[in-house]
Amino acid sequence: MLLLAEPITPFDWQRLLWTADAPPTFLLEVVFRCVVTYMLMLAALRVTGRRGVRQLSIFELSIILGLGSAAGDTMFYHDTPLLPVVIVFAVVSAMYWLFNRLTEWFPRFSDWLEGTPVLLVEEGRINMKNLDNLNLTQKELFGELRQQQVEHLGQVRRAYMEATGNLSAYFFAPDEARPGLPIWPELLAKSQHRVEVAGPHACCKCGEVKELARGQTASCAVCEGKEWVLVCTAKREA
């Protein structure tokens, strides 16, 4: 037996605003769902780290995620009533406003949620502990530095990962730059465990510079890395 779909009546306000399948108290559940979902989104964004945020704040990204599906479904699904969606927009917007205010009133809460600037490079050497805590890889760090025309770590006085996910770098003056770990991929690919040419070498893991003799093998005193590469002495040109 062929079942015919019920015809849709345009601008049926009963259908537009509400559905006969749910009682009015369902709106309270919508509020509860919004609060729980918003908290879950913030937690997920906090875990994924700053790479997932980048130039948007964590709150801007959360409101985009929170309202995107609600807005999209309502636009073209005839069986999605408007009243629950209005509640969703109201609650998510209120949560957005509340958390923004909380970050202004309680700096520690802001630091916990959005994070603080993290020192990644200090005096030409990587802070391995901070790098690991950010779940950031050396390859990603070097990619960010190369976008700022950095050739080796000896050019970098300090580099911070900001709460926005962007990297801020401060450089030595050209005549003050020191020999450092090259960050060009083709130079890093020449790393070696046993040194073939005597001279200053940089640890391929943290950038610590050490004078090594030909044929020598050594472990880095800072990070215990065992791969070394000849240092680079190029001057940085802005």
Side-chain angles (χ1 to χ4, degrees):
M1 180 178 179
L2 181 62
L3 297 177
L4 297 178
E6 184 179 349
I8 299 174
T9 303
F11 296 102
D12 178 2
W13 293 105
Q14 176 66 28
R15 176 178 55 81
L16 279 171
L17 295 176
W18 194 238
T19 172
D21 298 332
T25 52
F26 177 67
L27 293 177
L28 295 177
E29 182 180 326
V30 172
V31 173
F32 175 76
R33 287 170 178 264
C34 288
V35 173
V36 173
T37 305
Y38 191 82
M39 297 297 294
L40 289 174
M41 282 190 301
L42 288 179
L45 291 172
R46 185 72 179 86
V47 170
T48 55
R50 303 179 190 187
R51 286 173 294 167
V53 179
R54 299 297 290 177
Q55 296 181 1
L56 291 176
S57 73
I58 193 171
F59 299 111
E60 292 167 341
L61 192 56
S62 69
I63 200 169
I64 290 172
L65 293 174
L67 299 182
S69 179
D73 291 351
T74 310
M75 287 179 182
F76 57 85
Y77 285 129
H78 73 276
D79 56 349
T80 303
L82 290 177
L83 199 53
V85 175
V86 172
I87 300 297
V88 170
F89 270 70
V91 174
V92 171
S93 299
M95 295 285 289
Y96 172 79
W97 178 88
L98 175 62
F99 275 83
N100 268 310
R101 296 290 81 77
L102 287 175
T103 58
E104 294 177 3
W105 298 335
F106 305 103
R108 289 187 178 181
F109 175 76
S110 174
D111 293 344
W112 173 81
L113 185 62
E114 294 188 292
T116 57
V118 178
L119 180 64
L120 292 181
V121 179
E122 183 177 12
E123 304 297 323
R125 192 173 67 201
I126 299 174
N127 188 314
M128 297 302 302
K129 180 180 179 181
N130 289 348
L131 187 72
D132 293 339
N133 288 340
L134 282 180
N135 293 322
L136 197 68
T137 66
Q138 185 195 73
K139 182 182 295 185
E140 290 169 325
L141 172 61
F142 286 177
E144 294 283 347
L145 289 172
R146 285 193 293 269
Q147 291 184 46
Q148 301 194 38
Q149 290 76 51
V150 175
E151 294 185 48
H152 63 89
L153 292 184
Q155 299 173 339
V156 183
R157 184 158 55 93
R158 296 178 94 81
Y160 294 90
M161 179 61 71
E162 304 292 351
T164 59
N166 294 318
L167 188 75
S168 300
Y170 297 86
F171 306 103
F172 289 106
D175 56 344
E176 296 177 355
R178 56 193 64 183
L181 173 66
I183 64 173
W184 288 1
E186 58 270 24
L187 296 180
L188 284 173
K190 297 179 180 179
S191 63
Q192 48 196 306
H193 181 66
R194 184 181 298 275
V195 175
E196 297 179 357
V197 179
H201 287 68
C203 170
C204 293
K205 189 174 181 180
C206 71
E208 173 73 3
V209 175
K210 182 181 179 68
E211 190 76 26
L212 297 177
R214 181 180 179 183
Q216 181 180 353
T217 60
S219 295
C220 177
V222 176
C223 68
E224 299 183 352
K226 300 183 183 300
E227 294 293 320
W228 301 84
V229 67
L230 281 169
V231 297
C232 181
T233 59
K235 303 297 182 182
R236 181 176 182 274
E237 297 181 6

